[in-house]
Amino acid sequence: MAKYFDVHPDNPQLRTISQVADSVRDGALIAYPTDSCYALGCRLGSRDGIDRIRSIRRLDDRHHFTLVCQDFAQLGQFVRVDNDVFRAIKASTPGSYTFILPATREVPRMLQHPKKKTVGVRIPDHVVTHALLTELGEPLLSSTLLLPDEDEPMTQGWEIKDRLDHVLDAVVDSGECGTEPTTVIDFSNGEAEIIRHGAGDTSRFE
């Protein structure tokens, strides 16, 4: 049965955020809100968490996982970013964008695309997510909470708890967030390629 954490959307309770972070450190798979929609998250090196996310979403090994980062300093530890790409990403973050970039050695091989050796990264614009990342001190390995054969992610924490109680360890509920996943931009070849049109404006990348 998943623990249920009710978090204030504008002033998240530090004690509750600390409890969620401790759960992640202990290997928990959580559902949590972002500036685009709810996501599944676990600790960066958790093979069990990765396997469970793949099972819930029925993902194959070509799926790009995302490292949800607190800031650029953290992001720069896990992906290689040249100056031109840096400026483009900097102008769009924090926000509802996921960027696919070449992974550094800090990224476990099991998270990298098997052929491209890339990984997704993002810096969300969400108070609760930022508080959790600050407390955790490392990125969250994440994937959009979009169930197989469904067109839109779930938007209510109680609904997620009700439907996924048996496969999650915790649900962080701070009220409704968006219904649209992030816009995905592939910069792995140095040029912007829009992989998915989502919540983020794509005009600057077209």
Side-chain angles (χ1 to χ4, degrees), residues 35-37 95-98 122 144 180-184 196-200:
D35 52 342
S36 57
C37 57
S96 299
Y97 298 90
T98 297
R122 69 172 299 224
T144 302
E180 197 171 13
T182 57
T183 290
V184 179
R196 180 177 70 196
H197 290 265

Side-chain angles (χ1 to χ4, degrees), residues 23 26 37 49 62 72 93 96 108 111 123 127 136 152 169 198 201:
S23 295
D26 289 340
C37 57
R62 295 184 300 278
F72 261 95
T93 53
S96 299
L111 300 185
I123 302 172
V127 173
L136 192 60
E152 291 188 353
D169 299 308
D201 180 19

Side-chain angles (χ1 to χ4, degrees), residues 87-99:
R87 284 191 289 269
I89 295 176
K90 183 73 171 176
S92 305
T93 53
S96 299
Y97 298 90
T98 297
F99 300 99

